[in-house]
Amino acid sequence: MSKETELAQKKADLAPNQVEAWRKFSRTVFKEGVLDEKTKQLIAVAVAHVTQCPWCIKAHTPLALRRGASKEEIMEAIWVAAEMRAGAAYSHANIAMEEMEKNP
């Protein structure tokens, strides 16, 4: 058993009801609905990059491939995430601008 698998089991043992609820929630969210599973996995890969979660990136990248996403589609989703993250940083410059204007 890998260290990650062992830790996951220990966490589940400490809060089994919550872990089961989380797993059910995750299965429900990623089921095909109005959005297909490939699109949902591309969104997950993009969000994982914005939240900077290495475990999510490692989990959802192969899932996206298995759901039919191409490597190019995955990379494009990552670039969309990067642009959105950069845009948020730039727009928050308004807060700094406001503070600078208070202190000429």
Side-chain angles (χ1 to χ4, degrees), residues 11-31:
K11 290 187 298 185
D13 291 344
L14 291 170
N17 294 333
Q18 292 86 343
V19 169
E20 183 51 39
W22 176 262
R23 289 176 180 159
K24 182 178 180 184
F25 175 63
S26 183
R27 286 189 302 270
T28 301
V29 167
F30 283 100
K31 273 186 192 172

Side-chain angles (χ1 to χ4, degrees), residues 5 11 18 29 32 45 55 58 61 72 80 82 92:
T5 302
K11 290 187 298 185
Q18 292 86 343
V29 167
E32 185 154 345
V45 170
W55 300 279
K58 286 183 176 191
T61 301
E72 292 81 4
V80 169
H92 277 78

Side-chain angles (χ1 to χ4, degrees), residues 97-104:
M97 293 298 297
E98 290 170 354
E99 292 303 312
M100 288 186 283
E101 287 181 3
K102 289 180 189 175
N103 299 288

Side-chain angles (χ1 to χ4, degrees), residues 42 45 61 64-65 69-79:
L42 287 169
V45 170
T61 301
L65 290 167
S70 68
K71 292 177 181 178
E72 292 81 4
E73 287 173 314
I74 292 169
M75 198 65 235
E76 192 166 317
I78 293 166
W79 276 110

Side-chain angles (χ1 to χ4, degrees), residues 26-41 43 67:
S26 183
R27 286 189 302 270
T28 301
V29 167
F30 283 100
K31 273 186 192 172
E32 185 154 345
V34 176
L35 296 175
D36 61 30
E37 292 182 51
K38 176 181 122 175
T39 301
K40 289 182 176 192
Q41 289 302 327
I43 292 168
R67 298 299 183 264

